[in-house]
CSV table of all heavy atoms in Angstrom, one decimal:
chain,number,residue,atom,x,y,z
A,1,GLY,N,-28.3,72.8,75.4
A,1,GLY,CA,-29.2,73.0,76.6
A,1,GLY,C,-30.3,71.9,76.7
A,1,GLY,O,-30.2,70.8,76.1
A,2,PHE,N,-31.3,72.1,77.5
A,2,PHE,CA,-32.4,71.1,77.7
A,2,PHE,C,-33.2,70.9,76.4
A,2,PHE,O,-33.4,71.9,75.6
A,2,PHE,CB,-33.3,71.5,78.9
A,2,PHE,CG,-32.7,71.4,80.2
A,2,PHE,CD1,-32.7,72.4,81.1
A,2,PHE,CD2,-32.1,70.1,80.6
A,2,PHE,CE1,-32.1,72.3,82.4
A,2,PHE,CE2,-31.5,70.0,81.8
A,2,PHE,CZ,-31.5,71.0,82.7
A,3,GLN,N,-33.8,69.8,76.3
A,3,GLN,CA,-34.8,69.5,75.2
A,3,GLN,C,-35.9,68.7,75.8
A,3,GLN,O,-35.7,67.6,76.5
A,3,GLN,CB,-34.1,68.7,74.1
A,3,GLN,CG,-33.0,69.5,73.3
A,3,GLN,CD,-33.6,70.6,72.6
A,3,GLN,OE1,-34.7,70.6,72.0
A,3,GLN,NE2,-32.8,71.7,72.5
A,4,PHE,N,-37.1,69.1,75.6
A,4,PHE,CA,-38.3,68.4,76.0
A,4,PHE,C,-39.1,68.1,74.7
A,4,PHE,O,-39.9,69.0,74.3
A,4,PHE,CB,-39.1,69.2,77.0
A,4,PHE,CG,-40.3,68.4,77.6
A,4,PHE,CD1,-40.1,67.6,78.7
A,4,PHE,CD2,-41.6,68.5,77.1
A,4,PHE,CE1,-41.2,66.9,79.3
A,4,PHE,CE2,-42.6,67.8,77.7
A,4,PHE,CZ,-42.4,67.0,78.8
A,5,SER,N,-38.9,67.0,74.1
A,5,SER,CA,-39.4,66.7,72.7
A,5,SER,C,-40.1,65.4,72.6
A,5,SER,O,-39.7,64.4,73.3
A,5,SER,CB,-38.3,66.8,71.7
A,5,SER,OG,-37.6,68.0,71.8
A,6,SER,N,-41.0,65.3,71.7
A,6,SER,CA,-41.7,64.0,71.5
A,6,SER,C,-40.8,63.2,70.6
A,6,SER,O,-40.0,63.7,69.7
A,6,SER,CB,-43.0,64.2,70.8
A,6,SER,OG,-42.9,64.7,69.5
A,7,ILE,N,-40.8,61.9,70.8
A,7,ILE,CA,-40.0,61.0,69.9
A,7,ILE,C,-40.5,61.1,68.5
A,7,ILE,O,-39.7,61.0,67.5
A,7,ILE,CB,-40.2,59.5,70.4
A,7,ILE,CG1,-39.6,59.4,71.8
A,7,ILE,CG2,-39.5,58.5,69.5
A,7,ILE,CD1,-39.8,58.0,72.4
A,8,ASP,N,-41.8,61.3,68.3
A,8,ASP,CA,-42.3,61.5,66.9
A,8,ASP,C,-41.7,62.7,66.2
A,8,ASP,O,-41.3,62.6,65.0
A,8,ASP,CB,-43.8,61.7,67.0
A,8,ASP,CG,-44.6,60.9,65.9
A,8,ASP,OD1,-44.4,59.7,65.8
A,8,ASP,OD2,-45.3,61.6,65.1
A,9,SER,N,-41.5,63.8,66.9
A,9,SER,CA,-41.0,65.0,66.2
A,9,SER,C,-39.5,64.8,66.0
A,9,SER,O,-38.9,65.3,65.0
A,9,SER,CB,-41.2,66.2,67.1
A,9,SER,OG,-40.5,66.2,68.3
A,10,LEU,N,-38.8,64.1,66.9
A,10,LEU,CA,-37.4,63.8,66.7
A,10,LEU,C,-37.2,62.9,65.4
A,10,LEU,O,-36.3,63.1,64.6
A,10,LEU,CB,-36.7,63.1,67.9
A,10,LEU,CG,-36.6,63.9,69.2
A,10,LEU,CD1,-36.1,63.0,70.3
A,10,LEU,CD2,-35.7,65.1,69.0
A,11,ILE,N,-38.1,61.9,65.2
A,11,ILE,CA,-38.0,61.1,64.1
A,11,ILE,C,-38.2,61.8,62.8
A,11,ILE,O,-37.6,61.5,61.8
A,11,ILE,CB,-39.0,59.9,64.2
A,11,ILE,CG1,-38.5,58.9,65.2
A,11,ILE,CG2,-39.3,59.2,62.9
A,11,ILE,CD1,-39.5,57.7,65.5
A,12,LYS,N,-39.0,62.8,62.8
A,12,LYS,CA,-39.4,63.6,61.6
A,12,LYS,C,-38.4,64.6,61.2
A,12,LYS,O,-38.5,65.3,60.2
A,12,LYS,CB,-40.8,64.2,61.8
A,12,LYS,CG,-41.9,63.2,61.8
A,12,LYS,CD,-43.3,63.9,61.7
A,12,LYS,CE,-43.6,64.8,62.9
A,12,LYS,NZ,-44.9,65.4,62.8
A,13,LYS,N,-37.3,64.8,62.1
A,13,LYS,CA,-36.3,65.8,61.7
A,13,LYS,C,-35.5,65.4,60.5
A,13,LYS,O,-35.3,64.2,60.3
A,13,LYS,CB,-35.4,66.0,62.9
A,13,LYS,CG,-36.0,66.7,64.1
A,13,LYS,CD,-34.9,67.2,65.1
A,13,LYS,CE,-34.0,66.2,65.5
A,13,LYS,NZ,-33.1,66.7,66.6
A,14,PRO,N,-35.1,66.4,59.7
A,14,PRO,CA,-34.2,66.0,58.5
A,14,PRO,C,-32.9,65.4,59.0
A,14,PRO,O,-32.4,65.7,60.1
A,14,PRO,CB,-34.0,67.3,57.8
A,14,PRO,CG,-34.2,68.4,58.9
A,14,PRO,CD,-35.3,67.8,59.8
A,15,SER,N,-32.3,64.6,58.1
A,15,SER,CA,-31.1,63.9,58.4
A,15,SER,C,-30.0,65.0,58.5
A,15,SER,O,-29.8,65.9,57.7
A,15,SER,CB,-30.7,62.9,57.3
A,15,SER,OG,-29.5,62.3,57.6
A,16,LYS,N,-29.1,64.9,59.6
A,16,LYS,CA,-28.1,65.8,59.8
A,16,LYS,C,-26.9,65.6,58.9
A,16,LYS,O,-26.2,66.6,58.5
A,16,LYS,CB,-27.6,65.7,61.3
A,16,LYS,CG,-26.9,66.9,61.8
A,16,LYS,CD,-27.8,67.9,62.4
A,16,LYS,CE,-27.0,69.1,63.1
A,16,LYS,NZ,-26.8,68.9,64.5
A,17,ALA,N,-26.6,64.4,58.6
A,17,ALA,CA,-25.4,64.0,57.7
A,17,ALA,C,-25.6,62.6,57.2
A,17,ALA,O,-26.4,61.8,57.8
A,17,ALA,CB,-24.1,64.2,58.5
A,18,THR,N,-24.9,62.2,56.2
A,18,THR,CA,-24.9,60.9,55.6
A,18,THR,C,-23.6,60.2,55.8
A,18,THR,O,-22.6,60.8,55.3
A,18,THR,CB,-25.3,60.9,54.2
A,18,THR,OG1,-26.6,61.4,54.0
A,18,THR,CG2,-25.3,59.5,53.6
A,19,TYR,N,-23.5,59.1,56.5
A,19,TYR,CA,-22.3,58.3,56.7
A,19,TYR,C,-22.3,57.0,55.9
A,19,TYR,O,-23.3,56.4,55.9
A,19,TYR,CB,-22.1,58.1,58.2
A,19,TYR,CG,-21.6,59.3,59.0
A,19,TYR,CD1,-22.6,60.2,59.5
A,19,TYR,CD2,-20.3,59.6,59.1
A,19,TYR,CE1,-22.2,61.3,60.2
A,19,TYR,CE2,-19.9,60.8,59.8
A,19,TYR,CZ,-20.9,61.6,60.3
A,19,TYR,OH,-20.5,62.7,61.0
A,20,THR,N,-21.2,56.7,55.3
A,20,THR,CA,-21.1,55.5,54.5
A,20,THR,C,-20.0,54.6,54.9
A,20,THR,O,-18.9,55.1,55.3
A,20,THR,CB,-20.8,55.9,53.0
A,20,THR,OG1,-21.8,56.9,52.6
A,20,THR,CG2,-20.8,54.7,52.1
A,21,TYR,N,-20.3,53.3,55.0
A,21,TYR,CA,-19.2,52.3,55.3
A,21,TYR,C,-18.6,51.8,54.1
A,21,TYR,O,-19.3,51.3,53.1
A,21,TYR,CB,-19.8,51.2,56.1
A,21,TYR,CG,-18.8,50.2,56.6
A,21,TYR,CD1,-18.0,50.4,57.7
A,21,TYR,CD2,-18.6,49.0,55.9
A,21,TYR,CE1,-17.1,49.6,58.1
A,21,TYR,CE2,-17.6,48.1,56.3
A,21,TYR,CZ,-16.8,48.4,57.4
A,21,TYR,OH,-15.9,47.5,57.8
A,22,THR,N,-17.3,51.9,54.0
A,22,THR,CA,-16.5,51.5,52.8
A,22,THR,C,-15.2,51.0,53.3
A,22,THR,O,-14.6,51.5,54.3
A,22,THR,CB,-16.4,52.6,51.8
A,22,THR,OG1,-15.6,52.1,50.7
A,22,THR,CG2,-15.7,53.8,52.4
A,23,ASP,N,-14.6,50.0,52.5
A,23,ASP,CA,-13.3,49.5,52.8
A,23,ASP,C,-12.2,50.4,52.1
A,23,ASP,O,-11.0,50.2,52.3
A,23,ASP,CB,-13.1,48.1,52.3
A,23,ASP,CG,-14.0,47.1,53.1
A,23,ASP,OD1,-14.2,47.4,54.2
A,23,ASP,OD2,-14.5,46.1,52.5
A,24,ILE,N,-12.6,51.4,51.3
A,24,ILE,CA,-11.7,52.2,50.5
A,24,ILE,C,-11.8,53.6,50.9
A,24,ILE,O,-12.9,54.2,50.9
A,24,ILE,CB,-12.0,52.1,49.0
A,24,ILE,CG1,-11.9,50.6,48.6
A,24,ILE,CG2,-11.0,52.9,48.2
A,24,ILE,CD1,-12.3,50.4,47.1
A,25,ASN,N,-10.7,54.2,51.4
A,25,ASN,CA,-10.7,55.6,51.7
A,25,ASN,C,-10.1,56.4,50.6
A,25,ASN,O,-9.3,55.9,49.8
A,25,ASN,CB,-9.8,55.9,53.0
A,25,ASN,CG,-10.4,55.5,54.2
A,25,ASN,OD1,-11.6,55.3,54.3
A,25,ASN,ND2,-9.6,55.3,55.3
A,26,GLU,N,-10.6,57.6,50.4
A,26,GLU,CA,-10.0,58.5,49.4
A,26,GLU,C,-8.6,58.9,49.7
A,26,GLU,O,-8.2,58.8,50.9
A,26,GLU,CB,-10.9,59.7,49.2
A,26,GLU,CG,-12.3,59.3,48.7
A,26,GLU,CD,-13.1,60.5,48.2
A,26,GLU,OE1,-12.5,61.5,47.9
A,26,GLU,OE2,-14.4,60.3,48.2
A,27,SER,N,-7.9,59.4,48.8
A,27,SER,CA,-6.5,59.8,49.0
A,27,SER,C,-6.4,60.8,50.1
A,27,SER,O,-7.3,61.6,50.4
A,27,SER,CB,-5.9,60.3,47.7
A,27,SER,OG,-6.5,61.6,47.3
A,28,SER,N,-5.2,60.9,50.6
A,28,SER,CA,-4.9,61.9,51.7
A,28,SER,C,-4.8,63.3,51.1
A,28,SER,O,-4.8,64.2,51.9
A,28,SER,CB,-3.5,61.5,52.3
A,28,SER,OG,-2.5,61.5,51.3
A,29,ILE,N,-4.8,63.4,49.8
A,29,ILE,CA,-4.8,64.8,49.2
A,29,ILE,C,-6.1,65.4,49.3
A,29,ILE,O,-6.3,66.6,49.6
A,29,ILE,CB,-4.3,64.7,47.7
A,29,ILE,CG1,-2.9,64.1,47.7
A,29,ILE,CG2,-4.3,66.1,47.1
A,29,ILE,CD1,-2.3,63.9,46.3
A,30,THR,N,-7.2,64.6,48.9
A,30,THR,CA,-8.5,65.2,48.9
A,30,THR,C,-9.1,65.3,50.3
A,30,THR,O,-10.0,66.1,50.6
A,30,THR,CB,-9.5,64.3,48.1
A,30,THR,OG1,-9.5,63.0,48.6
A,30,THR,CG2,-9.0,64.3,46.6
A,31,ARG,N,-8.7,64.4,51.2
A,31,ARG,CA,-9.1,64.5,52.6
A,31,ARG,C,-10.7,64.5,52.7
A,31,ARG,O,-11.2,65.3,53.4
A,31,ARG,CB,-8.6,65.7,53.3
A,31,ARG,CG,-7.1,65.7,53.5
A,31,ARG,CD,-6.7,64.6,54.5
A,31,ARG,NE,-5.3,64.7,54.9
A,31,ARG,CZ,-4.7,63.8,55.7
A,31,ARG,NH1,-5.3,62.8,56.1
A,31,ARG,NH2,-3.4,64.0,56.0
A,32,ASN,N,-11.3,63.6,52.0
A,32,ASN,CA,-12.8,63.6,52.0
A,32,ASN,C,-13.3,62.3,52.6
A,32,ASN,O,-14.2,61.7,52.1
A,32,ASN,CB,-13.3,63.7,50.5
A,32,ASN,CG,-14.8,64.0,50.5
A,32,ASN,OD1,-15.3,64.6,51.4
A,32,ASN,ND2,-15.4,63.7,49.4
A,33,ASN,N,-12.7,62.0,53.8
A,33,ASN,CA,-13.1,60.8,54.5
A,33,ASN,C,-13.9,61.1,55.8
A,33,ASN,O,-14.1,60.2,56.6
A,33,ASN,CB,-11.9,59.9,54.9
A,33,ASN,CG,-11.1,59.5,53.6
A,33,ASN,OD1,-11.7,59.1,52.7
A,33,ASN,ND2,-9.8,59.7,53.7
A,34,ASP,N,-14.3,62.3,55.9
A,34,ASP,CA,-14.9,62.8,57.2
A,34,ASP,C,-16.3,62.1,57.4
A,34,ASP,O,-16.7,62.0,58.6
A,34,ASP,CB,-15.2,64.3,57.1
A,34,ASP,CG,-13.9,65.1,57.2
A,34,ASP,OD1,-12.8,64.4,57.3
A,34,ASP,OD2,-13.9,66.3,57.1
A,35,PHE,N,-16.9,61.5,56.4
A,35,PHE,CA,-18.2,60.9,56.5
A,35,PHE,C,-18.2,59.4,56.2
A,35,PHE,O,-19.2,58.8,55.8
A,35,PHE,CB,-19.2,61.6,55.7
A,35,PHE,CG,-19.4,63.1,56.1
A,35,PHE,CD1,-18.7,64.1,55.4
A,35,PHE,CD2,-20.1,63.5,57.2
A,35,PHE,CE1,-18.8,65.4,55.8
A,35,PHE,CE2,-20.2,64.8,57.6
A,35,PHE,CZ,-19.5,65.8,56.9
A,36,ASN,N,-17.0,58.8,56.5
A,36,ASN,CA,-16.9,57.4,56.4
A,36,ASN,C,-17.2,56.8,57.8
A,36,ASN,O,-16.8,57.4,58.8
A,36,ASN,CB,-15.5,57.0,56.0
A,36,ASN,CG,-15.3,57.1,54.5
A,36,ASN,OD1,-16.2,57.4,53.7
A,36,ASN,ND2,-14.1,56.9,54.0
A,37,ILE,N,-17.8,55.6,57.8
A,37,ILE,CA,-18.0,54.9,59.1
A,37,ILE,C,-16.7,54.1,59.3
A,37,ILE,O,-16.4,53.2,58.5
A,37,ILE,CB,-19.2,54.0,59.0
A,37,ILE,CG1,-20.5,54.8,58.7
A,37,ILE,CG2,-19.4,53.2,60.3
A,37,ILE,CD1,-21.7,54.0,58.4
A,38,LEU,N,-16.0,54.4,60.4
A,38,LEU,CA,-14.8,53.8,60.7
A,38,LEU,C,-15.0,52.3,61.1
A,38,LEU,O,-14.3,51.4,60.7
A,38,LEU,CB,-14.0,54.5,61.8
A,38,LEU,CG,-13.7,56.0,61.5
A,38,LEU,CD1,-13.0,56.6,62.6
A,38,LEU,CD2,-12.9,56.1,60.2
A,39,GLN,N,-16.0,52.1,62.0
A,39,GLN,CA,-16.4,50.7,62.4
A,39,GLN,C,-17.8,50.8,62.9
A,39,GLN,O,-18.2,51.8,63.4
A,39,GLN,CB,-15.4,50.2,63.4
A,39,GLN,CG,-15.4,50.9,64.7
A,39,GLN,CD,-14.4,50.2,65.7
A,39,GLN,OE1,-13.3,49.9,65.4
A,39,GLN,NE2,-14.9,50.1,66.9
A,40,TYR,N,-18.5,49.6,62.8
A,40,TYR,CA,-19.8,49.6,63.4
A,40,TYR,C,-20.1,48.1,63.8
A,40,TYR,O,-19.5,47.2,63.4
A,40,TYR,CB,-20.9,50.1,62.4
A,40,TYR,CG,-21.2,49.1,61.3
A,40,TYR,CD1,-22.4,48.3,61.4
A,40,TYR,CD2,-20.4,49.0,60.2
A,40,TYR,CE1,-22.7,47.4,60.4
A,40,TYR,CE2,-20.8,48.2,59.1
A,40,TYR,CZ,-21.9,47.4,59.2
A,40,TYR,OH,-22.2,46.5,58.2
A,41,ASN,N,-21.1,48.0,64.7
A,41,ASN,CA,-21.4,46.7,65.3
A,41,ASN,C,-22.9,46.8,65.6
A,41,ASN,O,-23.4,47.7,66.2
A,41,ASN,CB,-20.6,46.4,66.5
A,41,ASN,CG,-21.0,45.0,67.1
A,41,ASN,OD1,-20.8,44.0,66.4
A,41,ASN,ND2,-21.5,45.0,68.3
A,42,ILE,N,-23.7,45.7,65.1
A,42,ILE,CA,-25.1,45.7,65.4
A,42,ILE,C,-25.3,45.0,66.8
A,42,ILE,O,-25.0,43.8,66.9
A,42,ILE,CB,-25.8,44.8,64.3
A,42,ILE,CG1,-25.7,45.5,63.0
A,42,ILE,CG2,-27.3,44.7,64.7
A,42,ILE,CD1,-26.3,44.8,61.8
């Protein structure tokens, strides 16, 4: 729904998840690649 929030309060929110950029994926058995950064660009 709608949100009317200050930028300051948004910044202070806890991190929702941690994503990591790596060239190595874990095996298909463990399936623990959900928080890998697939690609990024500055």
